[in-house]
Amino acid sequence: MLALALAGPSRAETALSPEEKAAEADSAWTELKPDLFGDRQLVEGTDTIAIEAPKRATDPAIVPVKLSFDPEMDVRKVTLVIDENPSPVAATFEFAQGADMRSLSTRVRVNAYTDIHAVAETADGKLYVTKTFVKAAGGCAAPAAKDPEVAAREMGKMKMREFGTDEAPVHEAQLMIRHPNNSGLQKDQVTLLYIPAHFITDLRVDKGGKPLFSMTGGISISEDPSFRFAYGAGDSGPFHAKASDTEGAVFEKTFTGEQS
């Protein structure tokens, strides 16, 4: 007994710092990986997919994440996983054949120090994985930035911006959607009751009548979802976006001009 006392408390008995918990975050991934991908092999250490996010987030409720893809690898699907979030799968993106998607950026909630994994599936069915570590906490429960009445009034409004690029024939655009995307973990600041989850579940973006990409989303996508994407498809014609949420509401718009 004396020897044990002199040895001090074991690691299991010692409160772990956030950094130590983050260092053990792979344990969450170890359980998530077979749940999401079964026994399929995930290839690491290639340029097929890359992920960028701040090492320490300024605001855990709106953490920017950028995914980049090797155009030679024909990525068709990406699963974005925030390991330590209550609902780890933030979103699944599917890219249409011929869309030639080069990058996609969005904003997410991060609830605890965590690894963020991105898994790309190419046209031949192979899976490629990369990850980055983010220091942030409390993003899923953080209060909404906008007054609820204003959010309800503006819900479903969409805006599309197009950008010039130096890399022909790559095009770049950004879709912004007004929606509270409530996580179900936030509290009303007056009643202190939990606000029911209410978020965009499905999104499809077309260009010139042809699909570019679609998304299946969850509670980890931030308030007022934003998606900036670069693609090589040369289809002319306007963008069209269609989104639906957990309450069955459908929001749809065809965009004309460079900014609408």
Side-chain angles (χ1 to χ4, degrees), residues 108-203:
V108 299
R109 297 180 169 113
V110 174
N111 211 51
Y113 284 39
T114 187
D115 279 324
I116 299 180
H117 283 84
V119 179
E121 181 171 347
T122 50
D124 58 8
K126 293 182 179 179
L127 299 177
Y128 299 85
V129 62
T130 188
K131 68 178 181 179
T132 191
F133 177 67
V134 174
K135 293 182 179 181
C140 292
K146 191 175 296 181
D147 179 270
E149 292 185 3
V150 175
R153 187 167 60 248
E154 296 184 344
M155 189 182 305
K157 291 184 178 180
M158 297 184 183
K159 186 176 182 180
M160 182 74 75
R161 298 178 61 195
E162 296 187 63
F163 305 90
T165 67
D166 296 328
E167 185 184 353
V170 177
H171 312 279
E172 190 169 10
Q174 181 180 18
L175 172 65
M176 295 161 281
I177 308 172
R178 295 293 190 188
H179 198 286
N181 251 39
N182 294 323
S183 68
L185 301 174
Q186 301 151 299
K187 287 186 176 182
D188 185 293
Q189 297 301 291
V190 177
T191 66
L192 299 183
L193 298 175
Y194 283 103
I195 301 170
H198 181 200
F199 55 90
I200 289 176
T201 55
D202 297 281
L203 170 68

Side-chain angles (χ1 to χ4, degrees), residues 8-196:
S10 68
R11 180 175 177 81
E13 295 170 332
T14 304
L16 298 179
S17 69
E19 288 81 3
E20 289 172 320
K21 290 180 180 178
E24 295 187 354
D26 275 350
S27 62
W29 178 244
T30 300
E31 296 177 359
L32 288 168
K33 179 181 172 183
D35 287 345
L36 296 174
F37 305 103
D39 59 0
R40 299 173 68 186
Q41 180 185 9
L42 273 64
V43 181
E44 301 181 41
T46 75
D47 294 329
T48 301
I49 184 169
I51 185 170
E52 299 175 45
K55 294 296 183 184
R56 183 180 294 276
T58 303
D59 186 338
I62 46 171
V63 180
V65 175
K66 181 178 181 180
L67 306 172
S68 301
F69 318 109
D70 182 346
E72 301 298 323
M73 295 300 290
D74 196 9
V75 172
R76 295 291 185 86
K77 182 177 180 179
V78 175
T79 305
L80 184 62
V81 183
I82 306 174
D83 295 11
E84 302 300 321
N85 270 15
S87 181
V89 178
T92 300
F93 299 94
E94 296 194 39
F95 306 140
Q97 181 178 1
D100 191 15
M101 198 66 64
R102 306 298 180 90
S103 67
L104 191 149
S105 302
T106 189
R107 302 177 303 186
V108 299
R109 297 180 169 113
V110 174
N111 211 51
Y113 284 39
T114 187
D115 279 324
I116 299 180
H117 283 84
V119 179
E121 181 171 347
T122 50
D124 58 8
K126 293 182 179 179
L127 299 177
Y128 299 85
V129 62
T130 188
K131 68 178 181 179
T132 191
F133 177 67
V134 174
K135 293 182 179 181
C140 292
K146 191 175 296 181
D147 179 270
E149 292 185 3
V150 175
R153 187 167 60 248
E154 296 184 344
M155 189 182 305
K157 291 184 178 180
M158 297 184 183
K159 186 176 182 180
M160 182 74 75
R161 298 178 61 195
E162 296 187 63
F163 305 90
T165 67
D166 296 328
E167 185 184 353
V170 177
H171 312 279
E172 190 169 10
Q174 181 180 18
L175 172 65
M176 295 161 281
I177 308 172
R178 295 293 190 188
H179 198 286
N181 251 39
N182 294 323
S183 68
L185 301 174
Q186 301 151 299
K187 287 186 176 182
D188 185 293
Q189 297 301 291
V190 177
T191 66
L192 299 183
L193 298 175
Y194 283 103
I195 301 170

